[in-house]
Amino acid sequence: MTSKTIVALPGDGVGKIVLKEAIRVLEAAGFDAQYIYGDIGWEFWKKEGNPLPQRTIDLIEKHKIALFGSITSKPKDEAAEELLPGLQDQGLVYSSPIVGLRQHFDMDICMRPCKTYKGNPLNFIRRGPDGVIEEPGIDAVIFRQNTEGLYSGVEWSNPPENVYAALQSHPKFMKKFGDIPKEELSISTRIFTKKATERILRAAFEYARAYGYPDVTVCEKPNVIRETSGMMYKMALEMQKKDYPDTKVRNTNIDAQMMWLTKNPENYGVLVSGNMFGDIVSDGFAGLIGGLGFACSAQYNPDTGIGVFEPTHGSAPKYADYPVSIVNPIAMIISSCMMLDFVGENDLARKIRTAVAEVIAEGKVRTYDMMKLPGSPDVLDKGAASTGRMTDAIIEKLK
């Protein structure tokens, strides 16, 4: 095993806690790595006016691989109010540093696996024939286009004259909004490119082929959003016919897909979506496997080898100040397993995943969310495991 250098980005709130626990697990499993810590998040926004300093970008550029905790994001006006006095009234606008990383490094492939852990009391259940309670096994992997669509940041309030003039050239705009003063308009664009759409579709098809999934589901809304969603679906059909004839293409609308999640989630394997709908459907599947405490993700650029691995939960600042942390570290730990897979340490990844699965199946150590308790410090008195105790239990299974 060759020693690796990993950029550790704790970020905000509980991100600082769960990242530390994931590194403990990696070290206990025998992963030989040096961790270099980078600055990112709300603290640096407040004191520097930049939540993603150039020095952090340089670290990732050099070392390629990063583990990321979580960040705090707030609305524009509230964010501006928290800047140090010397930075206020300078026109600084907060933007998400994780979105900034995705776009700067063109990490357009986002993969979010959602897999049932046997014995997890939070697993989705339903009532079957004759009232029998069923617990379907879920094994879904969502491929989310990560750099375009509604998250690309091409938007305006009171659009400039040239943008307004372009909008006026569209007859539907004139019919619906032609008499609205432009200062009363706010516009967010949804832009898909063929290049990026082809890359995310190919990533989904390749994964389905490699891991034996029979189909790829395009989860968009082509019956209404005809140009962007329609382009993705059309390209998927063409790609399947040309390059993946043994893999079927399924088409679901995002709204119907969310309904079907609570009816037959086991029928879905590999799904692919644009940025917004991928975010939505991955959170929907995460809810079926226990919530965001179990939801991991990878985002990467296959050409440069740059990848950032993170849980999909937020910074939950309320929990960060508890004397003993109660948050569930599993999402961060499984995200670190995705990092291990990315750098070729597949055996170590399997070892850690097996340990996590054994702890969950055994049921002796459960964090407050797994016990369905409200998140408060007294959950430890009710038998819930602390963050550290859950990590300890996983490490014990590695021995």
Side-chain angles (χ1 to χ4, degrees):
M1 184 190 305
T2 303
S3 180
K4 304 289 195 304
T5 299
I6 308 298
V7 179
L9 304 172
D12 304 313
V14 300
K16 300 175 182 179
I17 297 168
V18 295
L19 180 57
K20 179 180 68 174
E21 300 300 319
I23 291 174
R24 279 215 294 141
V25 173
L26 289 168
E27 291 175 341
F31 181 53
D32 185 8
Q34 175 189 8
Y35 298 93
I36 299 178
Y37 284 78
D39 299 333
I40 193 169
W42 202 252
E43 173 186 352
F44 303 97
W45 162 253
K46 291 195 298 183
K47 69 183 183 182
E48 299 180 24
N50 184 1
L52 179 57
Q54 182 62 43
R55 59 186 178 273
T56 301
I57 292 174
D58 293 342
L59 275 179
I60 299 173
E61 183 78 50
K62 179 178 180 180
H63 300 294
K64 307 293 186 186
I65 306 299
L67 285 174
F68 181 65
S70 61
I71 54 162
T72 293
S73 288
K74 297 183 181 182
K76 181 174 70 173
D77 292 344
E78 188 175 344
E81 290 174 359
E82 294 200 22
L83 287 167
L84 291 178
L87 294 172
Q88 294 190 10
D89 302 320
Q90 292 188 16
L92 296 171
V93 178
Y94 177 84
S95 60
S96 166
I98 190 61
V99 173
L101 281 177
R102 293 166 184 163
Q103 294 178 349
H104 179 85
F105 290 111
D106 197 21
M107 293 186 290
D108 56 337
I109 309 298
C110 179
M111 184 170 67
R112 293 184 169 183
C114 293
K115 186 177 177 66
T116 296
Y117 283 98
K118 186 177 180 180
N120 187 347
L122 301 178
N123 286 342
F124 171 71
I125 59 173
R126 66 188 173 208
R127 192 176 301 278
D130 301 321
V132 175
I133 298 300
E134 302 174 337
E135 185 177 315
I138 296 164
D139 183 11
V141 184
I142 295 87
F143 282 81
R144 171 193 179 197
Q145 205 297 319
N146 217 26
T147 56
E148 297 186 344
L150 281 170
Y151 290 16
S152 62
V154 182
E155 52 187 353
W156 303 268
S157 289
N158 188 10
E161 288 292 346
N162 59 338
V163 173
Y164 186 59
L167 291 169
Q168 288 178 308
S169 70
H170 198 295
K172 288 189 177 180
F173 178 87
M174 291 304 296
K175 182 177 180 180
K176 179 69 175 177
F177 306 108
D179 60 348
I180 305 295
K182 74 181 187 69
E183 59 269 20
E184 295 183 12
L185 294 172
S186 288
I187 299 162
S188 298
T189 65
R190 187 178 195 257
I191 302 172
F192 282 28
T193 66
K194 287 188 174 181
K195 178 182 177 181
T197 302
E198 192 274 340
R199 279 165 64 89
I200 194 65
L201 287 170
R202 192 164 299 281
F205 276 113
E206 287 291 333
Y207 189 91
R209 172 184 282 174
Y211 292 95
Y213 289 88
D215 50 53
V216 169
T217 299
V218 179
C219 182
E220 276 287 322
K221 189 74 173 176
N223 62 327
V224 175
I225 311 176
R226 300 180 185 277
E227 299 303 326
T228 48
S229 292
M231 183 179 79
M232 177 174 275
Y233 180 47
K234 180 180 178 181
M235 289 178 66
L237 292 173
E238 293 171 348
M239 189 179 296
Q240 184 270 342
K241 183 177 180 180
K242 179 183 177 183
D243 298 328
Y244 304 96
D246 296 330
T247 303
K248 296 179 181 179
V249 172
R250 302 168 71 183
N251 175 41
T252 62
N253 291 331
I254 179 64
D255 50 337
Q257 181 69 76
M258 300 309 292
M259 181 270 292
W260 288 329
L261 286 189
T262 59
K263 295 186 71 175
N264 55 346
E266 72 274 25
N267 289 354
Y268 297 93
V270 175
L271 298 94
V272 59
S273 299
N275 213 329
M276 171 68 85
F277 294 161
D279 204 4
I280 292 169
V281 75
S282 63
D283 274 12
F285 269 105
L288 303 181
I289 64 164
L292 295 179
F294 298 88
C296 55
S297 75
Q299 49 221 323
Y300 58 90
N301 182 322
D303 296 333
T304 64
I306 292 176
V308 176
F309 304 85
E310 60 165 335
T312 64
H313 61 64
S315 63
K318 172 179 99 169
Y319 299 125
D321 296 330
Y322 285 5
V324 178
S325 176
I326 66 169
V327 296
N328 189 341
I330 289 176
M332 183 78 245
I333 292 168
I334 300 301
S335 296
S336 72
C337 291
M338 298 185 76
M339 180 269 292
L340 290 174
D341 287 331
F342 192 74
V343 301
E345 298 290 354
N346 307 91
D347 290 341
L348 284 181
R350 280 191 291 270
K351 182 179 178 180
I352 294 173
R353 288 188 177 105
T354 298
V356 170
E358 289 177 355
V359 169
I360 294 173
E362 194 173 65
K364 294 180 181 178
V365 179
R366 289 175 172 171
T367 47
Y368 81 94
D369 54 323
M370 298 173 72
M371 296 179 66
K372 303 181 183 180
L373 295 172
S376 58
D378 65 356
V379 297
L380 301 177
D381 298 328
K382 298 176 182 178
S386 67
T387 307
R389 178 66 190 102
M390 175 58 80
T391 304
D392 290 341
I394 294 168
I395 290 173
E396 288 168 9
K397 296 294 184 182
L398 293 172
K399 297 177 181 177

